[in-house]
Amino acid sequence: MSERAETEWSAWLRAANRGDSASYARFLHGVTPVVRGIVRAKAFGLGGDQHDDIVQEVLLAIHAKRHTWREDSPLRPWLFAITRYKVIDALRKRGTAVHLPVEDFAEVLAAEAAPEPLVQRDLDRALAHIDPRAQEIVRAVSLEGANNAEIAERLSMSEGAVRVAFHRAMKKLVGASQKSSRGAGQTETRKGHEK
Amino acid sequence: MKTDDLIASLALEADRPRGLHRTRGALLCLCALAVPVVYFVNWMGMRSDWPQVLGAPVTLLKQGIPLALTLVAGAGALRLMRPAQARALSLWPLAVVAAIAATLWLWALLRTPEAALGAAFSGQTLAKCLTAVPVFALFPLVTGVAVLRRGASTRPMLSGALLGLACGAAAATGYALHCTEDNPLFFITWYGAGIAVSTALGTLAGRFFLRW
């Protein structure tokens, strides 16, 4: 990065601050590779897709805080300070997300124990592939959390028979869901292309 | 979202950004001082011997130390509003002022007879002093945080601490106009305690409100 970049960038940002969109785009395009370089160097532990997210966070911060640059002062120290701050911030956010203690979410987890309508619907659709008795077993296990003994009593089967029927039903379900998720995956990719 | 798309949408927002408005910020802080000032004028008042006490070194320092802290810490907090200035920040004047205060405190401690120490520390107006300084400091502290949020401090907790220090010291400077306790063992200890409370509050505020 040369002196030329410095003068160019400050000229572009000055023009941007007077409402010149083209200059602003040039400025942002100009700084992006530099920002990306810093992100790569500091966040090497994260995946490449995360790097892009952080680069965008930095660009947004530059945008939100562009009034803190004094037009008569050097631009690069200002730019690097913002970038460094946002990269550290992003790493901290991602770092703590992994180490959050599970107790903090006890309430949330408890609240999710009830079957969601969507889960219920997906399960209904999947269950259509298997016989009614197996359906009832799967429903009892996955939605009500019943154990084998309770189910055996309810359906007047032996516990062993329940276990075998459940196992077979699950195998079928997994097969069916793999087929349907492959289909869903294809639609996802198509959507990705459209975007 | 792709980075190019983001840039394209940001570029559309090119305009003259609202500046830091330092003057407006300063006015806001002065407005925040109105509540403590009105309270001071109506229910406290200047000490009757005020202009004369400035002639004595100890009472001059009683006003001068918090005033100096206010100016240095306040200037530092404002400076930190711009990124890239954190490194250029020099806080040694704060250390000098603190050293002067500590020396004065030690000097008073050494020349006070042991039997009189208790009375020197507790004074007559301890409760009022310990309430007034932090409470007066709260008002500029709140508006100060609002002003600093416009900036982009790369050290939010330090910014908050400096703001809290400046507000606490400003409150102590004002309160010293009223307070007639002239023993350094009293005013350095308890003004210091009030300023410390305000600094701690400022640090917390920085932690939660000055990050961006």
Side-chain angles (χ1 to χ4, degrees):
Chain A
M1 217 179 343
S2 58
E3 284 304 310
R4 219 191 91 231
E6 161 81 37
T7 7
E8 241 175 27
W9 289 355
S10 18
W12 285 337
L13 188 54
R14 259 193 294 274
N17 285 347
R18 279 153 194 72
D20 182 346
S21 283
S23 291
Y24 196 26
R26 267 197 293 276
F27 166 76
L28 292 171
H29 277 298
V31 302
T32 299
V34 180
V35 169
R36 185 169 288 130
I38 300 177
V39 170
R40 257 188 217 143
K42 295 218 174 215
F44 57 87
L46 295 174
D49 52 329
Q50 303 241 37
H51 287 175
D52 246 25
D53 286 351
I54 302 177
V55 168
Q56 295 187 6
E57 280 171 37
V58 173
L59 290 178
L60 281 169
I62 290 172
H63 178 71
K65 295 297 184 186
R66 63 198 191 282
H67 61 275
T68 61
W69 174 58
R70 266 225 302 260
E71 297 201 342
D72 54 355
S73 68
L75 186 108
R76 277 184 295 176
W78 173 83
L79 185 75
F80 293 160
I82 288 193
T83 308
R84 202 178 308 117
Y85 177 82
K86 284 313 283 185
V87 171
I88 292 170
D89 187 54
L91 287 177
R92 193 170 37 205
K93 264 193 278 178
R94 284 160 176 80
T96 48
V98 179
H99 299 300
L100 284 177
V102 74
E103 295 89 274
D104 291 354
F105 298 97
E107 269 177 75
V108 184
L109 292 176
E112 274 184 356
E116 292 171 21
L118 199 67
V119 173
Q120 175 87 58
R121 208 196 54 206
D122 287 351
L123 191 66
D124 282 346
R125 200 185 301 155
L127 287 182
H129 297 283
I130 56 178
D131 68 79
R133 170 160 281 203
Q135 275 185 32
E136 197 160 351
I137 296 174
V138 173
R139 238 187 268 275
V141 173
S142 58
L143 292 185
E144 299 158 24
N147 63 31
N148 285 350
E150 289 170 46
I151 300 167
E153 204 190 323
R154 203 186 308 169
L155 300 178
S156 50
M157 294 164 71
S158 76
E159 252 184 77
V162 168
R163 208 172 305 138
V164 171
F166 180 69
H167 181 71
R168 282 193 189 139
M170 286 315 285
K171 239 175 152 175
K172 266 193 188 162
L173 281 181
V174 170
S177 80
Q178 270 173 352
K179 252 184 254 162
S180 69
S181 77
R182 260 202 300 279
Q186 277 160 5
T187 17
E188 285 285 294
T189 346
R190 243 199 330 276
K191 267 187 212 151
H193 268 297
E194 276 161 16
K195 200 167 64 173
Chain B
M1 192 196 241
K2 281 167 64 185
T3 305
D4 285 349
D5 297 340
L6 177 73
I7 291 177
S9 58
L10 290 182
L12 293 179
E13 291 182 44
D15 58 358
R16 180 173 287 281
R18 296 195 305 126
L20 280 177
H21 296 304
R22 284 206 184 179
T23 30
R24 210 176 66 178
L27 282 177
L28 209 63
C29 289
L30 285 180
C31 291
L33 287 176
V35 177
V37 166
V38 166
Y39 183 89
F40 182 92
V41 169
N42 281 309
W43 288 282
M44 286 187 161
M46 306 283 281
R47 58 189 293 179
S48 53
D49 53 351
W50 183 66
Q52 293 89 335
V53 290
L54 294 183
V58 170
T59 35
L60 182 66
L61 283 171
K62 183 180 165 188
Q63 301 272 211
I65 289 174
L67 182 64
L69 286 179
T70 308
L71 297 177
V72 177
L78 287 178
R79 216 183 148 85
L80 278 180
M81 287 176 80
R82 295 186 192 276
Q85 304 220 346
R87 287 178 175 197
L89 189 74
S90 54
L91 293 176
W92 61 265
L94 285 182
V96 171
V97 179
I100 294 174
T103 313
L104 184 62
W105 189 86
L106 266 180
W107 171 78
L109 186 70
L110 292 178
R111 65 190 286 278
T112 307
E114 210 170 312
L117 275 182
F121 271 113
S122 52
Q124 308 291 318
T125 56
L126 179 54
K128 188 163 71 168
C129 164
L130 276 181
T131 324
V133 173
V135 172
F136 283 179
L138 264 182
F139 294 89
L141 187 58
V142 171
T143 43
V145 168
V147 170
L148 292 194
R149 276 175 69 85
R150 280 286 295 151
S153 170
T154 50
R155 302 184 63 186
M157 283 172 78
L158 179 61
S159 281
L162 286 173
L163 175 70
L165 178 58
C167 292
T173 312
Y175 183 71
L177 297 171
H178 162 79
C179 165
T180 49
E181 308 263 7
D182 289 335
N183 191 322
L185 290 182
F186 180 90
F187 68 77
I188 289 184
T189 310
W190 304 121
Y191 288 14
I195 294 172
V197 168
S198 169
T199 308
L201 284 178
T203 313
L204 270 181
R207 165 101 169 62
F208 289 107
F209 300 115
L210 296 181
R211 281 166 49 173
W212 45 280

